C-alpha cells in the first residue's frame, strides 16, 4: 500500500519510531492505520532473498560481500557435480561463493557469502540441489532457488532478541523490498 511505500522512503533508523518485539518472533510497527505485525524470520528471508536476486539481475552491487574461509574446504563430489559447479563458477563468485576445481571429483571452497560462514556445506548443498532437481539449465530459476535456500539458512529461527536499532533496520529493509508482504515462499 501507499503507506508502506512512504515508510520505505524514510529512514526508520533515525525516525524515533518505536518498533516493539513481541514473543521474540514478531515486530509490532505503528502505522497511520494501526499496527503492522512483521514476522521476523519471514522478513529476514524476504530481505536476504531480494539481496541475492538483485545482485544476480543487475540492480544490486557488483558482488555480494564474501568471507574467505580460514582453511579452504575440500569437498568430494560426483564428476557431473564438479562439472556443473565449474560451469557456474562465475555466477557463484558474483554471489560471494568462490570455489576451484581440484580434480574431477573434488572442489575446494575458499569463500562463501559473508552471512553463510556458519553454513558452508549447506550453502553448497543448496546449489547442488538445483542440479539434481533438473533446474540447472534455467539460469534464472537456478538463481532464484539458490537465493531462496540461502535466505532460509541465514534467517533466524525461533525466538530472537533484537536491539531497537536492528528492529528499525529490519523494518526499513523490508519496506524497501519489491515484495514486502510475503517471504520468498509466499507466506505473509
Amino acid at each position: 500500500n501507499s503507506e508502506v511505500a512512504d515508510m520505505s522512503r524514510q529512514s526508520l533508523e533515525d525516525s524515533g519510531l518505536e518498533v516493539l518485539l513481541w514473543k521474540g518472533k514478531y515486530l509490532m510497527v505503528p502505522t497511520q492505520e494501526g499496527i503492522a505485525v512483521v514476522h521476523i524470520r519471514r522478513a529476514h528471508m524476504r530481505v536476504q532473498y531480494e539481496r541475492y536476486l538483485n545482485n544476480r539481475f543487475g540492480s544490486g552491487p557488483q558482488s555480494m560481500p564474501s568471507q574467505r574461509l580460514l582453511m579452504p574446504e575440500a569437498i568430494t563430489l560426483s564428476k557431473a557435480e564438479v562439472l556443473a559447479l565449474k560451469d557456474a563458477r562465475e555466477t557463484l563468485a558474483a554471489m560471494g561463493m568462490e570455489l576451484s576445481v581440484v580434480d574431477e571429483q573434488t572442489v575446494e571452497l575458499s569463500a562463501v557469502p559473508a552471512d553463510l560462514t556458519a553454513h558452508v556445506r549447506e550453502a553448497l548443498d543448496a546449489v547442488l540441489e538445483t542440479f539434481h532437481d533438473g533446474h540447472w539449465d534455467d539460469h534464472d530459476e537456478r538463481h532464484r532457488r539458490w537465493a531462496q535456500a540461502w535466505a532460509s539458512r541465514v534467517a533466524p529461527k525461533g525466538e530472537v532478541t533484537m536491539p531497537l536499532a536492528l528492529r528499525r533496520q529490519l523494518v526499513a529493509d523490508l519496506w524497501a523490498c519489491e515484495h514486502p508482504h510475503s517471504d520468498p515462499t509466499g507466506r505473509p
Side-chain angles (χ1 to χ4, degrees):
N1 67 25
S2 64
E3 186 176 349
V4 168
D6 291 341
M7 289 184 78
S8 69
R9 287 187 209 104
Q10 67 175 240
S11 171
L12 288 179
E13 191 173 331
D14 302 321
S15 69
L17 183 65
E18 186 63 34
V19 178
L20 301 175
L21 182 65
W22 183 51
K23 293 190 176 186
K25 291 185 179 184
Y26 303 94
L27 299 178
M28 309 297 278
V29 185
T31 67
Q32 291 177 343
E33 298 169 353
I35 294 177
V37 179
V38 175
H39 190 281
I40 294 170
R41 176 171 167 73
R42 294 177 190 174
H44 271 285
M45 286 174 64
R46 169 52 65 183
V47 168
Q48 286 303 115
Y49 174 75
E50 288 197 15
R51 282 182 182 159
Y52 290 127
L53 282 185
N54 287 340
N55 173 264
R56 168 71 169 95
F57 295 115
S59 59
Q62 289 294 332
S63 62
M64 291 294 295
S66 73
Q67 176 69 46
R68 286 209 139 327
L69 301 177
L70 222 45
M71 299 289 292
E73 188 168 334
I75 300 170
T76 303
L77 304 167
S78 72
K79 290 178 184 179
E81 290 171 329
V82 170
L83 285 173
L85 290 173
K86 183 178 180 182
D87 176 56
R89 254 195 322 211
E90 190 174 307
T91 303
L92 288 168
M95 293 180 72
M97 181 179 280
E98 293 178 26
L99 59 85
S100 55
V101 176
V102 175
D103 61 37
E104 61 184 21
Q105 286 195 267
T106 310
V107 295
E108 190 173 82
L109 211 49
S110 56
V112 294
D115 49 7
L116 282 165
T117 55
H119 308 278
V120 173
R121 183 58 202 239
E122 289 177 69
L124 186 60
D125 288 345
V127 169
L128 291 171
E129 195 173 290
T130 60
F131 175 72
H132 293 294
D133 286 350
H135 294 282
W136 196 257
D137 292 331
D138 181 343
H139 294 282
D140 291 346
E141 181 62 21
R142 174 174 77 179
H143 190 80
R144 282 185 193 90
R145 286 173 170 263
W146 295 350
Q148 184 175 341
W150 291 0
S152 176
R153 281 162 177 81
V154 300
K157 294 178 182 172
E159 292 185 15
V160 297
T161 57
M162 296 174 75
L164 180 58
L166 287 179
R167 296 189 301 244
R168 287 178 177 160
Q169 187 61 55
L170 178 59
V171 171
D173 290 347
L174 179 63
W175 285 176
C177 286
E178 187 175 337
H179 300 285
H181 300 292
S182 66
D183 74 2
T185 65
R187 294 175 301 182

